Amino acid sequence: MTNPSHHTFIRPALGLFGLVLTMHLLVACAPTAPVVRDAATLRSGSLSPFGPVIEERLANTASERADTSVERINALLRAGQLEVSQVLSALAPYSINEVRWQAQNHRNRPQLTAWLELAVVVKTHSINPTTSTEALTRWGQRHRHQMDTAPAKAQAELWLDQWRAQNHGPRTVGVILPQNSAFARPGEAIQDGMMDAWLAIAPSQRPKLVFYYVDDGQTAELFDVIDQAVKDNIDWLVGPLARTDVEDILRARGAQWPLPTLLLNTPTNPQYLRRLGENRLAFALSPEVDAKQAAYQADRLGLDRALVLAQDTPWGQRMADAFITAYRSTGRRVVDQAWYDPLRVDHSALLQSVLGLNASQARIDEISRLIGEEVASEPQRRTDIEFIFLASRAEDARQIRPQLQFFRAEDLPVLSTSHAIDGAVDARRDVDLEGLYLPMPPWFITGSSADRTRQLAQNRYPEIMNEASLSHLYAMGHDITQIIRWLEPLRDDSLLTLHGMTGHLSVDTSGLIQRDLMPVMIRNGRTLIQDENQAMRVR
């Protein structure tokens, strides 16, 4: 157990009774709790897998299992007749999980394992051209003693180029966006992002885009889109953006909304969530996802005993609830929570109370009263918390962080979400956020490829890029186009991940687009990625 006392007293010598009384009360001056270290403290995060170590086989049927294909590959290998294209084509129908499992299951065959791991690399990076070359280079270095990897790497890159040149998504896409309502500017940002990403695709691979403009709340007009979309031979619809419109669609019978649709929001009603699936997907920039991933980041950092400090608004409540639920699911503990008023600038009274300074001062005053003399001591903060989760907007975070440091919490790690920053980190503006931990979308991470795309967009759309929420929606539009481009392989394999602007994106079995963020720390006015190769996965 830790020593609960951190007070330093300076006073004249006391008699034995006074000394004993002082020491007895001194122990109670700072609120504390025992420090308990258990297995949960030591693990990296059971609910936030940062890449599997031992793959559990998920294939249940013979058609899902690659056993026969692998044996054929091994027979060609033993006969000296195996080619890269044979391996990749033979294993193309199977999931990433199945091919990983096969590679692990044949670890006692080093040469075969090398070929199977090549297939894993190709499948994992198939829709991410910017990462596949580096991943293949690492594969070559790892297996250079089993085979001549240079020709295999070159052939794998050629196979990938040919595969990517094929069409892997719908050819005609209808997009439903608002034009005149409160959602008009968000809709414009999404459309600009979609179009810029569309123009970056080779003309032969671009889907045809047809835009339909329907303002939120116009239910009759929304359902009129279906008739027009059928006439326009639309394969997939994208939209609408407003949550109420999304719920109207999910509430409707299949005959009323028969076209496959990528919805741009998620319903709050769990009953409607269950109506998502193979032909009804949903993609949203939910702030609760950020809060959950902050919880997993704290768990991976080995932090226990959280103090949750949240904005006293419905938004703050949702963020706090999402963090607490996810954090407790990892076996960690939330010691306390408090709510701050976003209309106030000075949070001194709240912070002194929640950090235990008031209680510590009261104990000092009680000692002084009992011994009849003034005691020279400063109140100390509570010692039963290990870090603070701050559920705040950017302006609040810049105000609260220095106040936490002033009130003796400068040694406590502070975690938050990307909402604590207005877009990308600004060294001058965010100087008080130095050392903050948070999950971050690539779009706002200093020096990333997504950041470079954002800088280019800044020159074209300054009115959008200068507002963080609209900038984020532009990035979402960019990702929508890429999701549509790679829709078939994404739907076929929930482990396939698209390295998007808003996160690492995948389609889970329930129809939700999962958005996994990067764990970062703000250091020297920049976002420092804690792990270059891992995004936090919320499952």
Side-chain angles (χ1 to χ4, degrees):
M1 183 171 298
T2 58
N3 184 354
S5 173
H6 294 280
H7 293 285
T8 301
F9 286 82
I10 303 173
R11 62 174 311 281
L14 298 171
L16 179 60
F17 173 76
L19 180 61
V20 171
L21 177 61
T22 299
M23 294 304 296
H24 175 74
L25 291 172
L26 181 59
V27 171
C29 282
T32 188
V35 176
V36 179
R37 297 293 184 192
D38 53 22
T41 307
L42 302 176
R43 66 174 179 265
S44 62
S46 60
L47 294 187
S48 59
F50 289 75
V53 177
I54 300 298
E55 196 81 23
E56 177 185 356
R57 192 180 199 183
L58 301 179
N60 294 315
T61 65
S63 62
E64 295 173 336
R65 296 186 171 188
D67 300 330
T68 301
S69 295
V70 170
E71 288 308 317
R72 288 173 182 165
I73 290 170
N74 190 48
L76 289 171
L77 174 62
R78 293 171 63 185
Q81 300 173 351
L82 188 60
E83 297 180 2
V84 169
S85 59
Q86 293 172 317
V87 175
L88 300 182
S89 298
L91 296 178
Y94 303 102
S95 70
I96 292 172
N97 169 270
E98 174 63 11
V99 181
R100 280 178 178 168
W101 185 89
Q102 292 288 346
Q104 292 173 352
N105 192 49
H106 292 281
R107 286 191 300 268
N108 60 333
R109 299 172 170 179
Q111 283 192 314
L112 177 60
T113 299
W115 286 99
L116 295 176
E117 287 190 2
L118 174 63
V120 171
V121 170
V122 167
K123 292 182 73 68
T124 302
H125 295 271
S126 58
I127 61 175
N128 298 296
T130 58
T131 64
S132 58
T133 299
E134 181 183 352
L136 286 168
T137 298
R138 291 196 301 268
W139 168 84
Q141 293 170 345
R142 190 164 58 250
H143 294 289
R144 63 186 183 277
H145 299 301
Q146 278 81 41
M147 58 188 292
D148 185 2
T149 58
K153 176 179 176 291
Q155 292 172 38
E157 289 177 329
L158 177 62
W159 189 93
L160 271 173
D161 288 341
Q162 294 171 344
W163 182 86
R164 288 168 181 156
Q166 301 169 17
N167 293 318
H168 297 283
R171 302 310 302 148
T172 307
V173 178
V175 185
I176 306 171
L177 291 174
Q179 191 171 36
N180 298 310
S181 69
F183 286 90
R185 288 194 73 202
E188 179 185 355
I190 289 173
Q191 181 170 332
D192 288 340
M194 287 189 68
M195 291 306 301
D196 281 358
W198 183 83
L199 289 169
I201 299 173
S204 62
Q205 295 176 264
R206 293 173 185 164
K208 179 182 178 182
L209 299 181
V210 181
F211 287 87
Y212 306 98
Y213 297 100
V214 180
D215 289 324
D216 50 293
Q218 304 297 317
T219 306
E221 294 181 19
L222 177 63
F223 280 84
D224 286 343
V225 167
I226 283 293
D227 293 333
Q228 187 60 48
V230 171
K231 294 177 183 178
D232 293 335
N233 296 313
I234 298 298
D235 298 319
W236 267 78
L237 283 170
V238 173
L241 182 57
R243 175 173 279 123
T244 53
D245 291 342
V246 167
E247 291 181 342
D248 284 342
I249 291 171
L250 292 175
R251 189 183 299 116
R253 295 179 179 178
Q256 294 174 282
W257 196 273
L259 286 178
T261 305
L262 173 60
L263 302 162
L264 300 184
N265 213 320
T266 52
T268 55
N269 189 328
Q271 177 183 351
Y272 298 149
L273 274 175
R274 289 193 290 272
R275 295 185 182 181
L276 295 173
E278 184 177 357
N279 289 324
R280 287 185 178 179
L281 309 180
F283 178 35
L285 302 181
S286 169
E288 289 88 341
V289 168
D290 293 53
K292 291 177 183 178
Q293 297 198 29
Y296 300 138
Q297 185 174 2
D299 178 51
R300 190 162 189 249
L301 288 169
L303 296 173
D304 198 3
R305 306 195 315 272
L307 166 63
V308 175
L309 182 58
Q311 189 183 81
D312 192 8
T313 61
W315 178 87
Q317 180 71 62
R318 295 199 312 272
M319 296 290 279
D321 289 347
F323 174 86
I324 290 170
T325 300
Y327 188 64
R328 284 176 172 164
S329 74
T330 68
R332 306 286 188 176
R333 291 164 289 175
V334 175
V335 175
D336 203 355
Q337 54 186 304
W339 309 93
Y340 73 87
D341 183 352
L343 299 179
R344 297 179 65 92
V345 174
D346 185 357
H347 302 283
S348 299
L350 171 66
L351 296 181
Q352 288 182 84
S353 175
V354 75
L355 292 173
L357 297 175
N358 288 347
S360 180
Q361 182 62 56
R363 287 171 173 81
I364 294 170
D365 294 342
E366 179 66 8
I367 292 175
S368 297
R369 185 187 67 80
L370 289 172
I371 65 177
E373 296 182 25
E374 183 176 351
V375 176
S377 178
E378 293 184 354
Q380 301 296 308
R381 69 161 178 82
R382 62 195 296 177
T383 59
D384 61 337
I385 55 177
E386 199 166 294
F387 76 101
I388 296 170
F389 173 66
L390 181 60
S392 73
R393 302 282 191 180
E395 185 176 356
D396 298 344
R398 292 194 297 267
Q399 293 170 353
I400 292 174
R401 181 71 191 288
Q403 293 182 49
L404 285 169
Q405 294 170 329
F406 179 79
F407 290 114
R408 303 180 182 277
E410 69 278 0
D411 60 326
L412 288 178
V414 178
L415 280 87
S416 191
T417 70
S418 60
H419 300 86
I421 302 173
D422 278 323
V425 174
D426 182 284
R428 287 188 176 182
R429 181 196 64 198
D430 299 320
V431 63
D432 289 320
L433 300 181
E434 182 74 9
L436 187 72
Y437 293 92
L438 67 161
M440 199 80 162
W443 186 246
F444 295 123
I445 293 179
T446 311
S448 66
S449 59
D451 180 49
R452 291 188 286 274
T453 303
R454 183 179 61 82
Q455 297 292 345
L456 293 173
Q458 177 73 43
N459 297 327
R460 296 189 62 188
Y461 311 102
E463 71 285 355
I464 290 178
M465 294 300 132
N466 289 335
E467 189 172 333
S469 60
L470 292 178
S471 178
H472 207 183
L473 287 169
Y474 172 94
M476 181 184 183
H478 196 287
D479 285 348
I480 290 167
T481 296
Q482 293 300 319
I483 290 170
I484 289 297
R485 181 185 179 189
W486 304 112
L487 189 58
E488 290 177 4
L490 282 168
R491 291 168 68 209
D492 288 343
D493 196 335
S494 62
L495 286 184
L496 183 61
T497 300
L498 172 66
H499 292 188
M501 303 294 168
T502 62
H504 289 187
L505 309 174
S506 58
V507 181
D508 72 13
T509 54
S510 71
L512 287 172
I513 306 293
Q514 293 289 342
R515 188 171 57 91
D516 304 327
L517 306 179
M518 302 302 296
V520 306
M521 175 186 184
I522 299 177
R523 179 177 293 174
N524 299 325
R526 296 170 62 87
T527 43
L528 177 67
I529 299 177
Q530 293 179 271
D531 189 332
E532 288 282 353
N533 298 315
Q534 305 292 351
M536 290 172 293
R537 310 201 73 180
V538 178
R539 292 291 183 265

